[in-house]
Amino acid sequence: MIVTRRWLNEFIDISDIDDNRLYETFNSIGLEVDSINKLTMPDKVVIGRVVECGKHPDADKLNLCKVDVGESEPLQIVCGASNVVDAEYVAVATVGAVLPGDFKIKPAKLRGVDSFGMICSSSELGLPDMGKGIMILDDSIGELVVGKSLLEYEAFNDTVIELELTANRGDCLSVRGVARDLAGYFDKELKRFSYSARHIMKIGIARELSLHSEGDIECDIKFMLAKPKECITPISMQILLALCGEYKDSVIDSLLSYATHATGVILRAYNADKLRKESGKIDLTLKGEKNSASVLYKDDTQLSVVGIMMNEEYKADINCSEILIEASYTAPEILVDTVADKKLKTDALYYNSSRGSEPDLKFGLDYLQKGADSAGDCEFSEDAVKIIKDRNSKKISVDIPKLNSIIGQEISRTTIHKILSGLGFEISKSSDDRFSVTVPNYRHDISNVYDVAEEVLRIIGINNIVAKPLEIIEKNRLSNEAKLFRKRRDIRQRAVSAGFYEAVTYAFAHSNRLKEYGFAILKDGVEILNPIVDEMDTLRSTLMVNLLESVKRNRSYGKRVIPLFEIGSVFDENRDEQEKISFVFSGEIEEPTITNQGKPTKIDFAEFVARVTSITGELQLRNVDKTPNGLFHPYQCAEVLKDGISIGYLGQLHPSIAEEFDIDITYIAEFDLLPLIGGIKQAEGVSNFQGVYKDLSILVDKNMQYSAIDNTLSKIEDKILQRFFPIDIYSDEKLGDKKSVTVRFYLQSMQTTLSDKDIEQTMQNILDRLSAECGAELR
């Protein structure tokens, strides 16, 4: 990667940093300098203005010019370059100048005509070759003052730095990317860039271009239309491109190369004249497959494999009256795998895209417009047609002690945050010893805490790390059992906080009672041969019967509020063990107090569910046609689901069983334990924008369960639909075989305040889905 000091200074102020320090800094931060060269112009090379140009009297290939260099009389100079006839301002080496290669300029006689100086090409001044002929100057280098030395123009006095990048540093394959690393090291702000084209097309691009998508699109892509008029690559741009090895003869190729090299955005240009149909519109289709590069088509003709190559037949050139500009980003791993799997040919831009190009497409297009406006008159469409892939930013949890152990030195949290923020990382969820870092999309190479440590280390500088003996500390290895113990402890603590008391009962039970209530007992061959007592002649297959015995004892002691829970193992008929958690709540919901006038209410279904879910987290309830065993009330029993998986049952104890145990109204539940404690809930961002509640009342079949409506609503993918819940179910004779269900929806956007149009569109989508899948009608 080649950058120049002048180009870097466009994105970051390095005027106070000399070349030696730049050299040392690049090597320190892992951008190894392959070469650094100071470009300067020879003395006595000045700006001249060609005031007269004619043929040499005695040589067809030579021109006789009179050039004003600010002296009393124009100089007579013989020039062999054919393009001098088109030139006005040129670089002139006057008599006495010494050009590279120790070429001294003296008065000379060429084919019998005196010549006093030389009109120079770029290579004659030590610059890279910039095409045939002499170098024609324009005001892109500054005000053109006849006779002024080129030494006084910044464009001709620059430092060229060639960096040797590792394959993972695709983010530095642009001038701005390199400047971004320097900004992180020097704690400087990147200069803000914004630009609006000078000339905007009157007709919007949406009326000119239609872009369709099919399949899984794995890229971001934007299209703009442009109409170039009399464009010429400015000399300042030519010099930068030439110094960076990106010089192009075509003005269109130059502008694309200029914007890509500066921003890192992958830009291509199509001949829009060839893409238009007879109707005058451009109709394109982007097709994709999961984990594969997307392909752009015009009808059945492939225009490009996005990020890999384009169809050269449709490439734009200077003769185009209209150009379609494409800016794209595809994750590098997808491009590499696609090329390898499909054996695709690649073009020059694949080198950049396969290492990780810049995903900020707007920045690339804006910079291109800035360059095009400097090259001549060019009209651009005001907006872009785009397809953007939804992708989640990568987040890494960083433990500061571990990060410091990787580096080998104590680095303060403040310093770590400052370095990472300077490199474009976002810090969140910070505590004394831990924080979460969001990796910018242009750093695809960062995937774990070791990569984060490397970023901190390279900015601090390896030479600034104090050497010390190797220290090996064995990691504290917690087993899965230890982790499960912690989770059991947490759920116990939540149960106690919710007012439940933990019971510990025997792992044995009475086989006759288990069979009476419909539970399994040990089969022949694995039964208990010598039970302690007859009432403990088998292993328990449920916790609930033993808990009911505990409720009975507490009731006999005069207790009126009896909330109990137990975590323990149960056994199936083959003695296979499974861990469960069971809850029971019997009697009144609280002790008699002055606030309830000594008459507390009895436990009911809603209160029991609220108490249990305060411990377990959100659960889903589903009606059952048949109770799973004889303990549950047939009309107050529900199957319980966690994240769509059935984990047990919950409901009222059958009145006859309550009478048998001589206890008050009682509610019971029993769940598989592992699904409750297996996952870790991820925190989600909170919107700063106001949300709204909207109620929807619908008519559905009288026999339809709410779970069918819930399943339908759960499948709706809408970014502003946050949650929903039923608030009313109503039926009467007037509704016939229908019933009314009212659902409340909470709508909120993470990006903007909701408009009436957004809300109405979402509610209409909900109603359409309910109508299609549940036969719902608006009440």
Side-chain angles (χ1 to χ4, degrees), residues 100-290:
D102 199 29
F103 183 69
K104 298 177 181 178
I105 303 299
K106 303 176 182 178
K109 191 180 287 287
L110 299 175
R111 300 293 291 267
V113 176
D114 291 330
S115 180
F116 302 94
M118 185 172 76
I119 302 175
C120 301
S121 67
S122 60
S123 57
E124 289 167 337
L125 294 176
L127 294 168
D129 188 16
M130 290 161 52
K132 297 179 180 179
I134 61 167
M135 188 168 56
I136 300 176
L137 306 181
D138 56 49
D139 59 8
S140 65
I141 63 172
E143 183 182 359
L144 298 172
V145 179
V146 172
K148 187 175 181 179
S149 173
L150 291 191
L151 284 168
E152 299 182 45
Y153 288 90
E154 188 182 43
F156 294 99
N157 294 273
D158 208 345
T159 302
V160 183
I161 307 165
E162 184 171 1
L163 303 173
E164 193 70 34
L165 300 180
T166 53
N168 65 316
R169 292 307 306 274
D171 60 298
C172 285
L173 284 173
S174 68
V175 181
R176 189 202 193 202
V178 175
R180 193 162 45 206
D181 258 29
L182 289 177
Y185 181 83
F186 290 118
D187 192 22
K188 289 175 175 278
E189 291 286 338
L190 280 176
K191 294 180 182 179
R192 295 185 179 276
F193 178 87
S194 62
Y195 189 80
S196 298
R198 289 198 311 237
H199 306 291
I200 301 297
M201 294 180 183
K202 295 180 180 179
I203 300 177
I205 189 172
R207 296 174 61 183
E208 301 282 317
L209 171 65
S210 295
L211 179 61
H212 313 278
S213 64
E214 295 179 8
D216 293 315
I217 305 303
E218 295 285 3
C219 71
D220 297 348
I221 196 165
K222 284 189 175 184
F223 291 100
M224 292 187 74
L225 282 169
K227 295 180 180 179
K229 298 176 183 177
E230 300 179 359
C231 289
I232 300 175
T233 309
I235 188 63
S236 178
M237 187 186 298
Q238 292 182 46
I239 294 171
L240 283 176
L241 290 173
L243 292 175
C244 294
E246 297 291 333
Y247 180 82
K248 303 290 189 295
D249 291 327
S250 162
V251 63
I252 292 176
D253 290 341
S254 293
L255 290 171
L256 293 173
S257 182
Y258 175 71
T260 294
H261 196 77
T263 68
V265 176
I266 303 301
L267 297 166
R268 291 184 169 87
Y270 301 87
N271 186 336
D273 301 332
K274 293 184 178 181
L275 297 178
R276 289 194 181 273
K277 294 187 172 184
E278 291 183 2
S279 62
K281 288 200 68 172
I282 299 174
D283 198 358
L284 304 179
T285 303
L286 192 63
K287 299 181 180 180
E289 300 174 5
K290 192 70 175 175

Side-chain angles (χ1 to χ4, degrees), residues 215-509:
D216 293 315
I217 305 303
E218 295 285 3
C219 71
D220 297 348
I221 196 165
K222 284 189 175 184
F223 291 100
M224 292 187 74
L225 282 169
K227 295 180 180 179
K229 298 176 183 177
E230 300 179 359
C231 289
I232 300 175
T233 309
I235 188 63
S236 178
M237 187 186 298
Q238 292 182 46
I239 294 171
L240 283 176
L241 290 173
L243 292 175
C244 294
E246 297 291 333
Y247 180 82
K248 303 290 189 295
D249 291 327
S250 162
V251 63
I252 292 176
D253 290 341
S254 293
L255 290 171
L256 293 173
S257 182
Y258 175 71
T260 294
H261 196 77
T263 68
V265 176
I266 303 301
L267 297 166
R268 291 184 169 87
Y270 301 87
N271 186 336
D273 301 332
K274 293 184 178 181
L275 297 178
R276 289 194 181 273
K277 294 187 172 184
E278 291 183 2
S279 62
K281 288 200 68 172
I282 299 174
D283 198 358
L284 304 179
T285 303
L286 192 63
K287 299 181 180 180
E289 300 174 5
K290 192 70 175 175
N291 298 322
S292 183
S294 303
V295 184
L296 184 67
Y297 287 91
K298 171 186 175 286
D299 297 327
D300 295 328
T301 303
Q302 179 178 300
L303 298 180
S304 72
V305 182
V306 179
I308 295 176
M309 53 79 70
M310 73 175 291
N311 188 335
E312 290 292 321
E313 181 183 347
Y314 289 86
K315 184 177 179 180
D317 56 43
I318 194 60
N319 297 317
C320 299
S321 63
E322 192 173 26
I323 296 170
L324 180 67
I325 301 166
E326 171 195 288
S328 69
Y329 171 80
T330 306
E333 59 271 17
I334 290 178
L335 297 177
V336 172
D337 290 346
T338 301
V339 169
D341 294 344
K342 299 183 178 181
K343 305 294 188 295
L344 298 178
K345 292 183 179 180
T346 62
D347 61 16
L349 288 176
Y350 175 70
Y351 179 88
N352 296 59
S353 60
S354 64
R355 283 159 176 77
S357 59
E358 171 61 51
D360 187 356
L361 306 186
K362 182 179 185 303
F363 173 53
L365 290 170
D366 287 350
Y367 198 88
L368 177 65
Q369 291 178 72
K370 170 180 172 288
D373 279 345
S374 70
D377 291 332
C378 190
E379 285 187 0
F380 283 91
S381 55
E382 184 174 8
D383 298 314
V385 172
K386 61 187 177 182
I387 293 176
I388 304 296
K389 174 181 170 60
D390 287 332
R391 53 171 62 86
N392 295 323
S393 296
K394 193 184 303 179
K395 294 182 182 294
I396 299 174
S397 179
V398 179
D399 181 83
I400 294 177
K402 181 176 181 179
L403 183 141
N404 282 332
S405 70
I406 295 169
I407 294 174
Q409 185 168 307
E410 290 296 318
I411 311 296
S412 70
R413 182 184 63 171
T414 302
T415 301
I416 294 170
H417 286 190
K418 182 179 179 181
I419 290 172
L420 294 176
S421 297
L423 293 173
F425 294 76
E426 291 183 10
I427 309 295
S428 60
K429 303 178 185 175
S430 178
S431 63
D432 289 342
D433 292 333
R434 182 178 293 275
F435 63 90
S436 176
V437 61
T438 301
V439 181
N441 289 332
Y442 53 78
R443 291 304 304 272
H444 71 280
D445 57 312
I446 306 296
S447 58
N448 53 50
V449 68
Y450 296 95
D451 296 329
V452 175
E454 182 181 350
E455 292 300 294
V456 175
L457 176 59
R458 70 186 183 87
I459 298 301
I460 290 175
I462 190 67
N463 295 330
N464 295 321
I465 302 298
V466 178
K468 63 180 183 180
L470 179 65
E471 183 180 12
I472 299 176
I473 301 174
E474 185 175 359
K475 183 179 180 182
N476 182 19
R477 294 178 173 85
L478 289 175
S479 65
N480 287 332
E481 188 57 38
K483 294 177 182 177
L484 288 174
F485 170 80
R486 289 182 175 180
K487 293 178 178 179
R488 291 190 198 97
R489 178 195 63 192
D490 292 343
I491 202 168
R492 281 189 172 98
Q493 291 174 344
R494 292 200 298 272
V496 172
S497 298
F500 285 83
Y501 296 91
E502 184 172 11
V504 180
T505 64
Y506 287 109
F508 304 103

Side-chain angles (χ1 to χ4, degrees), residues 506-526:
Y506 287 109
F508 304 103
H510 195 271
S511 58
N512 289 340
R513 177 163 277 183
L514 290 179
K515 285 191 292 184
E516 178 186 352
Y517 299 144
F519 292 98
I521 62 172
L522 298 177
K523 67 181 182 181
D524 294 342
V526 294

Side-chain angles (χ1 to χ4, degrees), residues 13-84:
D13 182 8
I14 54 173
S15 57
D16 58 336
I17 303 168
D18 61 29
D19 289 349
N20 287 335
R21 192 175 180 203
L22 270 182
Y23 175 83
E24 293 169 357
T25 299
F26 279 130
N27 286 322
S28 173
I29 64 177
L31 306 180
E32 183 181 350
V33 178
D34 188 61
S35 65
I36 181 167
N37 296 299
K38 179 70 176 177
L39 171 70
T40 187
M41 289 293 100
D43 194 17
K44 295 188 176 182
V45 177
V46 301
I47 291 181
R49 186 170 71 88
V50 179
V51 295
E52 187 179 315
C53 182
K55 284 293 183 182
H56 189 287
D58 198 25
D60 291 338
K61 293 185 178 181
L62 295 178
N63 295 289
L64 185 59
C65 304
K66 290 192 177 183
V67 184
D68 181 5
V69 293
E71 297 180 0
S72 57
E73 294 289 336
L75 296 180
Q76 178 172 282
I77 299 175
V78 176
C79 179
S82 59
N83 65 333
V84 72

